[in-house]
Amino acid sequence: MTLPYDFPADQIAIIDDQDRNLSFGELDGRAKQLAQMIHTSGVPEGGHIAFCLENRLEYFWVLFGGLYAGVYFTAISPWLHEEEIAYIAENCEAELVIGSAHTLSKMTQARAECGNVRRWLALDGGGDGYEDLEAVLDEHPAELPPVQREGRDMLYSSGTTGRPKGVLLALSDLPFGEESDTAKAMFDHFGLEENSVYLNPAPLYHAAPLRWSMSVVRRGGTVVSMGRFDAARALDLMHRYKVTDGQFVPTMMIRMLKLPEDVKARADLSALRRVVHAAAPSPVETKRALIDWWGPIVDEYYGGTEGNGLTYITAAEALEKPGSVGKALVGVIDIMDDDGNILGPSEVGKVWWSGRAPFEYHKEPEKTASVHRGARSTLGDVGYLDTDGYLFLTDRDVNLIVVGGTNVYPQLTEDRLAMHPDVGDVAVIGTPDDDMGEVVMAVVEPAKPGMDRDALIATLTTHCADLPTIRQPKKWDVIEVLPRHPNGKLRKVELRDHYRMLAGQVP
């Protein structure tokens, strides 16, 4: 497996959505200088650095600088609160931290609390206690430091179910330059190669965009990276740069599908070879609609930052197995009940994985133990296997709604509402009820501002009338914007806690 410096120096590696670019030579040179600086700053092989950056060209040489230096690197979301950024920087034991003009104001608490940090550096110039990163790099040679192993990411959960948790995996023992990512089998299966032009529509602090983008670069392809997702802009970039491959989350797919027909018709997507979606289950009708538009090239995978397993399903398989996230590509799946019994086909239980190297949540031994059972581990998802070994996810344990003692997962109701033309976004949650304990509640973001609230609720109530009664929303709210992370994940726990507080219950 090759590294960026094996490709022509003038070949374009990265393009941003402002039409600026970074060549392989520029990327490789800066990454080597950063690796040298990390090494001479006293951060040992297997040590730790962190950065809090918005999507930008420089992000990529920061990533590869950490990889070249043989250290763990943590990408911190710039959308987190100041105290969360400080917590992650302290928890990961970073010895070197990088920010930018866009993020420094959010790093004030981290500066005050993180005593382990040797150097604070900033893109866009230094000052106020930060060294000018690019000026510092100019003092270092563009050469690999004397390390034996590649570095790797140590990423943190989005914090949707409590404090963010760092996922710690061992550094690879493979020869330097040989790709060791836990998803390598998927990248090979997907067909990423030197002619790939890959659209990254998501923030790079998240595992999938970071790992997919790095893999494209390692294979000599080009990444077209968006600063922030916009459906029409994504189509324009795919058209302009003849994008061959892309990755989306279902929310992005829905927003592209809901674009005006004339906007969709203007985009020439003939270069598109394959796209993949993940991060959340896709409504079946969303995938079918996208396949109707783009052709049978819409694949899906399921896995987590933890790297404990991976499924994959092609578009053709999805049409035969609607709703499935595929068969195991990496690892072995068992569906188990709460007592640890392995369940048979079509029996719903928690999804457990085996056959992969262990992972741990950094400094969280109790949390680590709670997701392991012998050689198996789980991400907390619930589902079943069919007789052919295809996995179907029904939801996550954390999203469970208990209605009068009956377990209800909200995914089916969300799927029903998501594609309605009057719905821009939707979350289905459990909310307190004096009689039933909890009932199903739908929180809707209208497709257009200013829509009549009561009329919208009446329309959607009728739309859900053929769902099982227990799954039909009994309470509704209409709000301007649902809280989502920039990576597309819904902050559902935060939303649920809000409505519990309104009901007088302390979350």
Side-chain angles (χ1 to χ4, degrees), residues 80-223:
L80 293 175
H81 297 302
E82 188 173 326
E83 61 271 18
E84 292 175 302
I85 292 172
Y87 171 78
I88 293 174
E90 176 70 21
N91 183 262
C92 76
E93 301 175 288
E95 297 181 60
L96 185 150
V97 176
I98 300 169
S100 71
H102 178 73
T103 65
L104 294 189
S105 63
K106 284 198 166 187
M107 293 169 61
T108 303
Q109 186 171 335
R111 285 288 308 277
E113 296 179 359
C114 299
N116 200 52
V117 180
R118 299 169 184 264
R119 303 181 78 165
W120 297 87
L121 303 110
L123 291 165
D124 312 311
D128 195 27
Y130 288 88
E131 299 176 75
D132 182 334
L133 176 59
E134 299 219 52
V136 170
L137 296 189
D138 288 339
E139 302 171 359
H140 292 79
E143 300 173 358
L144 286 173
V147 297
Q148 301 301 311
R149 295 187 292 176
E150 288 188 359
R152 74 178 309 155
D153 62 64
M154 190 182 98
L155 303 179
Y156 279 68
S157 68
S158 301
T160 55
T161 57
R163 280 204 160 186
K165 293 172 284 292
V167 178
L168 182 63
L169 297 161
L171 293 181
S172 172
D173 289 324
L174 293 172
F176 195 95
E178 186 166 337
E179 191 174 20
S180 61
D181 192 284
T182 54
K184 179 181 179 296
M186 179 174 60
F187 303 144
D188 293 340
H189 189 74
F190 189 79
L192 294 179
E193 42 88 22
E194 62 183 8
N195 294 316
S196 296
V197 181
Y198 170 78
L199 179 70
N200 171 49
L204 288 161
Y205 67 81
H206 189 57
L210 184 153
R211 292 172 181 171
W212 277 76
S213 294
M214 290 187 77
S215 186
V216 171
V217 172
R218 292 179 70 116
R219 294 157 190 249
T222 300
V223 176

Side-chain angles (χ1 to χ4, degrees), residues 341-414:
N341 301 306
I342 296 177
L343 302 177
S346 301
E347 292 185 298
V348 175
K350 190 171 288 187
V351 181
W352 290 86
W353 291 91
S354 60
R356 296 292 294 165
F359 69 89
E360 64 182 81
Y361 293 115
H362 189 51
K363 297 182 179 178
E364 295 271 3
E366 292 183 3
K367 175 62 179 175
T368 300
S370 74
V371 299
H372 285 82
R373 179 178 279 167
R376 296 184 177 93
S377 62
T378 183
L379 303 177
D381 293 305
V382 176
Y384 64 92
L385 293 169
D386 72 4
T387 54
D388 297 318
Y390 284 83
L391 177 64
F392 292 76
L393 297 177
T394 55
D395 219 306
R396 303 206 73 196
D397 261 2
V398 71
N399 295 331
L400 179 67
I401 305 168
V402 182
V403 181
T406 300
N407 293 346
V408 176
Y409 288 99
Q411 192 64 53
L412 180 64
T413 310
E414 281 185 358

Side-chain angles (χ1 to χ4, degrees), residues 47-83:
H48 212 113
I49 69 168
F51 37 89
C52 184
L53 301 169
E54 71 280 18
N55 277 19
R56 53 190 294 163
L57 292 176
E58 295 89 345
Y59 210 120
F60 289 86
W61 54 252
V62 171
L63 291 172
F64 277 95
L67 184 142
Y68 288 2
V71 298
Y72 285 102
F73 47 95
T74 290
I76 304 176
S77 166
W79 307 102
L80 293 175
H81 297 302
E82 188 173 326
E83 61 271 18

